[in-house]
Amino acid sequence: MEKIRIGISSCLLGAKVRFDGQHKQDSYITGTLSHWFEFVPVCPEVELGLGIPRETIRLEGDPENPRLVKTKSGEDLTDSMKAYCRKRVAALSKEELGGYILKSRSPSCGMERVKVYSKKGMPSNKGRGIYADELVKRFPLIPVEEEGRLNDPALRERFIEQVFTLQRWRRMLQESNTRGGLVKFHEQHKYLLMAHSVQYYRAMGRLVAEMKGMKLATVQEEYLEMLMSALRLRATTAKHVNVLQHLTGYFKKQLNSDEKQELQETVAAYKSGHFPLIVPVTLLNHYIRKYDESYLKQQVYLKPGPTELRLRNQIY
Ligand code: SF4
């Protein structure tokens, strides 16, 4: 499979570009994720010409619109950094990025909870790095995460799911950029969407059902916006249980009472936090294969990413 291009803060790959000449290599990123992702590194501070090592910088003033200044000299870098970010992020449009991983807490790269200092020198954790801000405004549909948050299994899973879904979407546009292609895409993502939001799933279904007479490109644009918004919502245990109940309903006729009970017990054990989600999903996949259930075979929910990424394997 072709690797997915993911933008990343250079220091997370091990590049010694930080203010102190060090790096912040993240072994999950450079190890596990690198098998599936091809990284496009950017270090805004070095690319702006601040040098290595360099004086530390920080955000100051209004958290909604902070200034970027050198901590000791007080030199204000806001305008030059903003101009650089606009140019650099615009250039990234050509990279067809499928996601972005940012270094947390950085006044340039941090996505959220970055310290912003008041006039009196008091910090509040309400800021966003200057580069990160330009990035999320320019690419609102691209999944973006920070390396620290990828240590949380639920957030990691959500990010990976979003990245692979966006990749399937782009592949669909390349291979079958038709109304039929969109209908099929929606069908394949039914249970994945339901695990995040039944409301979005229904709204997207209505859009697909009523697209006759609308321009396909307009429908696709609306659909993609809803798709990425839906996947940003948390797939809770209750939502997964709802999906699992729907899926078990497909085997009412084929399974004997013992098998049905085992399946229900497995779902109940997931619900009560004794099994990870992969256990009922694996049992369902077994029956899907055994009874050649073609509609379910195409469901992305049952295999949202490569097995090696161990999605659905954690209890949380
Ligand atoms: Fe460069 Fe961003 Fe890493 Fe800072 S956090 S060293 S600006 S890539």
Side-chain angles (χ1 to χ4, degrees), residues 9-11 17-18 42-45 54 103 106 108-109:
S9 300
S10 306
C11 55
V17 290
R18 281 172 58 82
V42 177
C43 176
E45 292 174 21
R54 57 186 171 273
K103 173 74 192 76
S106 154
S108 304
C109 293

Side-chain angles (χ1 to χ4, degrees), residues 247-265:
L247 295 173
T248 57
Y250 281 82
F251 300 101
K252 264 189 231 147
K253 290 185 186 143
Q254 290 104 324
L255 303 189
N256 63 37
S257 58
D258 239 22
E259 289 168 328
K260 275 182 199 160
Q261 193 182 338
E262 185 193 23
L263 193 49
Q264 287 302 341
E265 282 172 5

